Amino acid sequence: MNMNRALTTGVGVIAGLLLYVNASAQDEPNKWAPDNIKIDGQATEWPKPLQFYNNVTKLFYTIANDQENLYVIVSVPDPQSQAKIMRSGITIAMNATGKKKGGASVTFPLTYNISTGAPDVPEASRALIAGELKKQLLANVKEIKVEGFDSIPDGNIPVKNTFGIQTTSSYDAAGNLVCELGIPLKALGIPAGSSQAVAYHFKVNAMKREDKKELEAKRAKGEQPPMPGEYADHFALYYSADFWTRQTLATRK
């Protein structure tokens, strides 16, 4: 009886500690944005390592703000997550009420309608050429997708838009896919200096079924897969991965 009570008490203490850890992990403050911040697909001005890591999506990320804008930087070392983002994009949603649902979202990069014409090259050169083609794809992206904004119609808008939304994606020297987002606080309905936690939804979108059919058809004919989208066959590629988190605005450095 005493042993049972001790076990019950121990479990309760552990559960309480876990609850405390989970609660304390929520509503973390943003970082104050670097003074020299530039949305260029490079993480050179950001403190290393990035602030958080999520094991479901395999993303490193930092959320920051200044007086006017909110910034998100994501670094993706995982090849499968890279492949999914290269084909279907990453969606980052922000709910100013702090509720973990809905919100205004931006999906980028949209590379699916861009073709660079993969050349026929020797196997030994494919990795190098593939890397260059991926960079070329990202450099040629012309649109992003937005949803849920009060002042912006849902749908695709130009990368260079009049709404103040900035996005870019690139590969760094270590082979990580780096995605950066900058967005005016007013576009999200967030007053500067607000103490209300903002809920963020990160979603690595699934590769399209058409990609799998195309790859299987090419392999059946003995053809090489298209280099900008080279990847290993794996069921996880065709399922999205996502998570929610909440953070408050940084007030100053």
Side-chain angles (χ1 to χ4, degrees), residues 74-93:
V74 173
S75 178
V76 191
D78 177 64
Q80 285 194 346
S81 294
Q82 286 187 13
K84 289 195 283 189
I85 292 172
M86 283 294 295
R87 298 297 284 180
S88 301
I90 181 171
T91 299
I92 301 175

Side-chain angles (χ1 to χ4, degrees), residues 57 73 78 96 98 150 193 205 214:
T57 55
I73 182 168
D78 177 64
D150 290 337
N205 296 308
E214 179 184 349

Side-chain angles (χ1 to χ4, degrees), residues 60-76:
F60 291 90
Y61 67 97
T62 294
I63 303 171
N65 66 272
D66 53 27
Q67 286 293 97
E68 297 182 349
N69 297 292
L70 182 75
Y71 304 96
V72 180
I73 182 168
V74 173
S75 178
V76 191

